[in-house]
Amino acid sequence: MSPSSQLADLLSGPVVVLTGAGVSAESGVPTFRGSGGLWRSYRATDLATPTAFARDPRLVWKFYSWRRELVAACRPNPAHKTLAQMERRLPDFTLITQNVDGLHQAAGSQRVVELHGSLWRVRCTRCSYQAEDRRVPLPQLPPRCPRCEGLLRPDVVWFGEALPQGVLEQAWAAAGRASVMLVVGTSAVVEPAASLPRLAKARGAYLIEINPEETPLSPYADEVIREPAGQALPAWWQQINLSSSQSVL
Ligand code: APR
């Protein structure tokens, strides 16, 4: 069978997608490590660690407030929209993202496993308060908890922090049973996310990487599409639909 019709059959099994910053690049959201990446301009250790926040919460919040304002002006691109359509059409689909920009949800994805939290949620450093907060700009930096007046922090995972309870288990479980795993727009260097495709591959998944650049994952992939996600993903999905022998798509 040709790969795409074979693939169409595989897509009737569990399909898992892992996305990174590259899936939002064509929406205008800066990546972290590529050219123009955030960590090329800022030191992550000054802005995205619990120590940095304890040292200067206002500086950290100015960085996140800037990111919130930037992302608020960005719209989902065809890659995000294709993933939302895949969720609607495929019988067993899991989207796992490292991104905190909320663009998957903005594109219509209903179930998103957010490994690293969200720019659009805040949580109190003193009490259990947490909430979605989409105000741009925020009324004050750093924002205060409406319940206890404690410092609010972005509900994102900083370097050195554990991932949200249950989220990583959910991602491991999905990767471990995948028949196909697409890895879209990630440099595949940050753990534990970077191990998910390797687990899927080890358990027999067909692994596809969509990324204009080579990554440490590339040698493990069964298929590498060296193109931007906003072009590659819609084209790939259309090709699968055209060649599919089933109506699953
Ligand atoms: N389409 C697909 N991939 C792209 C595109 C595009 N249009 N543009 C860039 N890329 C690729 C780059 O080649 C790179 O491999 O996206 C990847 C982005 O890598 P990073 O900037 O390292 O982002 P990511 O892999 O998501 O980082 C993981 O690191 O800083 C932490 O918490 C942060 O979630 C982030 C994690």
Side-chain angles (χ1 to χ4, degrees), residues 128-147:
S128 60
Y129 175 83
Q130 65 173 337
E132 180 164 308
D133 186 332
R134 288 188 171 266
R135 291 176 295 175
V136 171
L138 286 162
Q140 67 175 104
L141 295 181
R144 290 278 169 181
C145 175
R147 200 185 289 169

Side-chain angles (χ1 to χ4, degrees), residues 86-215:
M86 289 172 70
E87 179 188 82
R88 290 190 291 272
R89 297 279 189 83
L90 292 173
D92 186 338
F93 180 82
T94 305
L95 173 57
I96 303 167
T97 190
Q98 301 170 86
N99 300 341
V100 296
D101 58 32
L103 288 180
H104 285 305
Q105 293 90 333
S109 292
Q110 303 285 315
R111 301 183 311 280
V112 184
V113 180
E114 291 181 315
L115 291 179
H116 297 160
S118 171
L119 280 177
W120 303 115
R121 282 196 305 274
V122 294
R123 62 183 163 87
C124 183
T125 55
R126 188 190 294 170
C127 73
S128 60
Y129 175 83
Q130 65 173 337
E132 180 164 308
D133 186 332
R134 288 188 171 266
R135 291 176 295 175
V136 171
L138 286 162
Q140 67 175 104
L141 295 181
R144 290 278 169 181
C145 175
R147 200 185 289 169
C148 76
E149 279 296 301
L151 269 181
L152 291 178
R153 58 165 282 179
D155 191 19
V156 299
V157 178
W158 282 327
F159 290 103
E161 289 189 317
L163 273 60
Q165 188 59 37
V167 165
L168 187 53
E169 291 71 13
Q170 198 182 348
W172 281 127
R177 55 187 286 275
S179 59
V180 178
M181 184 167 196
L182 287 109
V183 184
V184 186
T186 180
S187 57
V189 295
V190 173
E191 295 297 350
S195 294
L196 293 169
R198 289 182 175 80
L199 170 69
K201 180 71 185 169
R203 294 274 180 84
Y206 185 83
L207 194 59
I208 301 170
E209 179 181 59
I210 297 179
N211 192 325
E213 293 176 15
E214 176 98 8
T215 74

Side-chain angles (χ1 to χ4, degrees), residues 23-24 26-29 70-78 80-81 103 106-107:
V23 81
S24 297
E26 290 150 275
S27 296
V29 182
L70 184 146
V71 168
C74 297
R75 295 291 168 265
N77 67 58
H80 297 107
K81 291 174 185 166
L103 288 180

